[in-house]
Amino acid sequence: MKTERLAPDDAGLARAAELLGKGTCVAFPTETVYGLGADARHDDAVAGIYAAKGRPAHNPLIVHLPDLAAAADLAELPDAARVLAAAFWPGPLTLVLPLKRGAGLSRLVTAGLDSVALRVPAAPVARRLLARSGLPLAAPSANPSGRISPTTADHVLAGLAGRIAAVVDGGPCAVGLESTILDLTGSPRLLRPGGIPAEALARVLDMPLDLRRVTDDTAPAAPGLMASHYAPRARVRLNAETPGTDEVLLGFGPVQGAALNLSETGDLAEAAAGLFAALHRLDTGGATAIAVSPIPDTGLGRAINDRLRRAAAPRPDGP
Ligand code: AMP
Ligand code: MG
C-alpha cells in the first residue's frame, strides 16, 4: 500500500474522512502527538490499528471525540469528569470512565474492559477531521508499538509508510507529549503523566492526587503501560551530568557539549514539545548511546521523566 500524505486543507481532510469512513487507518496531528485513527465503532477498522502498529491486543485505545456531549453518549460522567472537562477539554487530558451499555464501540477499543478512555483534542486539524468524518476515532500514537512517538508527519512515515492508508500533514505537534490519563471509574487515579500537569488536575478537583504513576505490575486496570516504551534504538542514560566517551549528550538547561538541547533556558514546555523529535534525530543520526541531563520532576517535567525512564528501561526484545 502506498501511504498518501494529505494537506490539512479541505481537500486533504475530505480524503482523510473518506478513507476513515471506509474503515482504513489514517494518521493525523493532535496537540499531543500524531494519532493513528480509525472508526472506533468497527472491529475491522480498529483491528487495522493494532496490525499497523504491531500493538498487543490487551492494550486498549483512547477514543477521540469532538465534545463533552459526544463523551456523554459513550460513558457515564461523574461530577469530577464534568468539572475536569470544563477546565481542560479540548486539551491533552484523557479520562477513563464507565462504559455505557449500548455505546456501540468495538470491543477491541476497550480490550474487553467495562471502561473506556475518552479525550477531546484541541488541535484544529484534529477537530476539523472529527467534525468532517462524524466518527469517534480510536487513535493511539502513530508509531510502531514500543518505539518513539511521532510529532511530525515525517516521523509517522518513517515508522509506518506502506502500512497505513494516509497521514494528514499538519506540521509539528504543539505539546509534544501524550495526554495525561486519569481514571475516574473510582476515586481519581493518575494512570499516566502527560500534557496536563497532575498538579493542575489536583487543583481543579480540589483534592490531593497520588502522583506516583501506576505501573503494569500494580495496576492490571491500566494495561499497556509497559516499562519499556518510547524506545530509540540507542541506549539511554538519565540524570547524566557529563556524557561518557561513547555517549552523545541530550542537554537541558545551560550545559556544555550537548549534541542537542531540549531547552537552554530550562523551559519544561519547550523541552516537552521537542523531546520526541530530539530522540528521533539522535536515533537517525546513528547515536548508539544517549546521556540525558537531569530534568526537574515537577509539572510537565514528570511526564518528560516518565517517557525518558521508559526509553531507558530494559527492552523485552533487546540488550
Ligand atoms: P496510547 O497508547 O497513547 O493510545 O494510550 C492508551 C493507554 O490508555 C493504554 O495503554 C492504557 O494504559 C490506557 N487506557 C486506555 N483505555 C483504558 C481503560 N479502559 N482503562 C484503563 N486504561 C486505559
Ligand atoms: Mg503510544
Side-chain angles (χ1 to χ4, degrees), residues 28-239:
F28 63 96
T30 78
E31 71 278 24
T32 61
V33 301
Y34 273 69
L36 183 58
D39 182 350
R41 302 167 314 178
H42 283 110
D43 288 344
D44 289 352
V46 178
I49 295 177
Y50 286 94
K53 282 180 62 77
R55 181 174 171 113
H58 65 265
N59 190 356
L61 304 174
I62 295 170
V63 179
H64 293 68
L65 301 169
D67 51 32
L68 182 65
D73 288 342
L74 301 179
E76 310 292 345
L77 298 180
D79 289 345
R82 293 185 184 276
V83 169
L84 290 166
F88 299 111
W89 278 359
L93 173 66
T94 295
L95 300 177
V96 174
L97 299 161
L99 181 64
K100 267 195 176 168
R101 289 170 78 106
L105 294 177
S106 162
R107 282 176 62 79
L108 289 173
V109 168
T110 54
L113 298 170
D114 52 14
S115 58
V116 63
L118 302 179
R119 178 164 108 77
V120 174
V125 175
R127 300 191 61 71
R128 286 168 61 206
L129 185 59
L130 284 164
R132 189 111 203 186
S133 68
L135 301 171
L137 294 178
S141 53
N143 55 284
S145 188
R147 293 294 170 191
I148 308 167
S149 299
T151 54
T152 66
D154 284 346
H155 295 159
V156 173
L157 290 169
L160 296 177
R163 303 180 64 88
I164 62 175
V167 55
V168 181
D169 186 350
C173 302
V175 175
L177 287 179
E178 292 83 352
S179 58
T180 302
I181 304 181
L182 190 71
D183 182 356
L184 291 180
T185 56
S187 50
R189 209 163 52 116
L190 185 67
L191 297 183
R192 174 174 79 185
I196 303 278
E199 292 92 331
L201 301 181
R203 218 174 300 126
V204 167
L205 286 174
D206 197 19
M207 65 184 294
L209 204 60
D210 188 352
L211 297 180
R212 285 167 306 173
R213 189 177 60 75
V214 182
T215 62
D216 245 11
D217 336 327
T218 53
L225 297 179
M226 295 90 154
S228 171
H229 212 94
Y230 312 101
R233 271 171 275 277
R235 268 183 297 116
V236 179
R237 183 169 69 89
L238 306 186
N239 294 316

